[in-house]
Every structure is written in C-alpha cells, then in structure tokens.
Amino acid sequence: MTTRELGAKRRNKGTKYFFLGAGGGGKSTAAMLFASTILARGVPLRLYDMDPGTPTLRRYCTDLIDDDQILFDDDPSEVVDFLEETVFGTDEDAVVDAGANLEASILRWTADRGAARADSMRFIIVVGKKDGVSAASRIHENARGVPTLLLYNEGGRRFARIARATEIYQGLLADGVPEAVLPLLGRTLEVIHETSVRPDRMLLDSNLFAKQGATSLIRTVEGVFAAHPDFRPW
C-alpha cells in the first residue's frame, strides 16, 4: 500500500485530535488555531467542545459548533456518552478541546473502552506553564496506545521555558515523545482574541492587513505541524 493510500485510509476512518493539558496553558487557543488552519485548507472537519467551564473554542467557532457538539456536564457518565455517541458517532476528522478537569475521565475511558479506537485518536498535549508538565506526563503514561505529541507553547514565555527545563519534560523528550513548538504569534493573535474572529474567517476580511496577518499565522501553524504528519489531517 502506498503512502498516499495509507493517508487516504486514515482520513476516511476519521481521526480525532484531542487537545489536552493543564488549564491556562493555551490549550483552547491552540485547538482553535489548529482547527482554523485545517478549515483554511478546505479539509472537512467537526469540532467538539468538552470544556464545560471555559467556552473558549465555542467563542471562536459559533458558526461551527451546535449545542449537540458541546459537553455541558463533566459527570463521568456524561463524558462516556459524549465520547461514544457524539465524538465517535461519525467517521469525520474532528478537533476536541478537552477541559483539564476531564483528563481523568478521558484517560479512564481510553483504558476501559477506547483501546479499539486508539489508532484513530491523537493526544496533543499543550504545555505553556509548569503544572502542564505533570499533566503531560500523566497523559502520556496512560495513553494506552494513543499517539501523543507535546505542543510546547512559547506564548507562556518564561513560565513555558521553566516548564520545558524540568526534569520530567526533558525525560519525556528522552523517551521519544515527539515535540512541536508553537511560537509567539504577535499582533494577529491579539486581534483574534479582541474580536473573536479566527484566522480562516479573517481571510475573508476586506482589510488587507487582517488578511495578511491571518495568512501568515496559518502558515506558521502549518509549519508547527509540518514535521508531524500523523498529527494533522492535511
């Protein structure tokens, strides 16, 4: 089977990209930027917001997320039903923004019932501050066959640098866990936060500077994942 055929087989099956990590480390913003980059490339995609306490993803994606794509209750039984009936209820590629408080429930489900779908799951663990390191270690150790990627968020500045320098983080790298680096994104990201307009929508803006900034940001995100084809649907 050729590389292209393998890629088509994976896409047809539908991969679920779970963005995980400690709160306040840039997880939801990273999920939004990743999803927006996919959409800008014209790749079909579903979005799921599993962060009941922080509606960041749905704030930027009101045109793409209906109520049935949102987990409103973090009760473990609700998490299981949402995963099995909603997230895995379709064969489409999907981005899932998972709340930090759902980490244990998602890992428990992965170990108990999700192993059969491990090949169609990806854990992208965002680390932007020190408490994100212990979360990354727990998630990786309990992934049960789900491929994991460390996404080091330079937007955390010195807090991110402190996190990356820890023995635990360096140990994950030494163990072969792949790492991608999300760099500082500048003024365009500030505008996105101010206006709640994601990059793929900014491409439709009549303002030349907005379009140029969005194009540059999308290319940056493409570059972040360029060396990790198994963690992107393009």
Side-chain angles (χ1 to χ4, degrees):
M1 184 176 288
T2 67
T3 301
R4 178 173 293 181
E5 289 171 335
L6 283 169
K9 180 179 179 181
R10 178 176 61 80
R11 286 194 298 273
N12 291 338
K13 190 171 185 178
T15 300
K16 316 303 182 185
Y17 301 90
F18 287 79
F19 278 73
L20 301 162
K27 170 184 61 61
S28 295
T29 296
M32 177 273 292
L33 294 174
F34 180 74
S36 187
T37 298
I38 295 168
L39 293 165
R41 295 179 67 93
V43 178
L45 183 72
R46 295 277 288 177
L47 300 178
Y48 298 104
D49 192 328
M50 293 185 69
D51 195 345
T54 309
T56 303
L57 186 64
R58 71 194 88 153
R59 168 188 164 198
Y60 296 106
C61 304
T62 54
D63 57 322
L64 299 171
I65 300 179
D66 296 325
D67 282 355
D68 62 352
Q69 293 163 256
I70 301 171
L71 178 70
F72 292 102
D73 190 339
D74 60 5
D75 181 90
S77 64
E78 294 292 332
V79 174
V80 170
D81 288 345
F82 192 85
L83 287 169
E84 297 184 359
E85 298 175 13
T86 302
V87 176
F88 288 98
T90 74
D91 286 332
E92 298 174 271
D93 287 326
V95 171
V96 183
D97 180 22
N101 62 322
L102 297 185
E103 174 194 315
S105 294
I106 291 172
L107 293 176
R108 190 179 306 113
W109 176 82
T110 302
D112 185 40
R113 297 165 66 91
R117 301 304 299 270
D119 63 338
S120 60
M121 298 170 65
R122 301 292 182 271
F123 286 164
I124 299 173
I125 311 168
V126 182
V127 179
K129 57 180 186 174
K130 192 172 182 180
D131 60 350
V133 176
S134 56
S137 180
R138 287 193 306 270
I139 294 165
H140 175 65
E141 290 175 2
N142 294 281
R144 302 301 179 102
V146 177
T148 60
L149 173 72
L150 291 171
L151 183 58
Y152 171 62
N153 180 17
E154 288 188 339
R157 299 180 184 271
R158 69 182 182 89
F159 298 106
R161 293 193 293 272
I162 290 170
R164 195 176 187 278
T166 61
E167 184 177 345
I168 294 175
Y169 193 101
Q170 291 300 312
L172 290 170
L173 295 179
D175 287 343
V177 182
E179 179 194 45
V181 178
L182 183 65
L184 289 169
L185 297 174
R187 176 58 184 159
T188 298
L189 184 59
E190 293 176 5
V191 172
I192 289 170
H193 288 324
E194 292 167 1
T195 62
S196 298
V197 178
R198 62 181 189 271
D200 65 290
R201 300 284 291 182
M202 292 175 69
L203 293 176
L204 306 176
D205 200 306
S206 60
N207 184 301
L208 179 63
F209 298 107
K211 293 171 77 170
Q212 178 58 48
T215 298
S216 177
L217 193 153
I218 288 168
R219 287 176 177 168
T220 297
V221 176
E222 288 176 337
V224 170
F225 290 91
H228 307 283
D230 204 35
F231 289 89
R232 52 180 169 86
W234 68 84

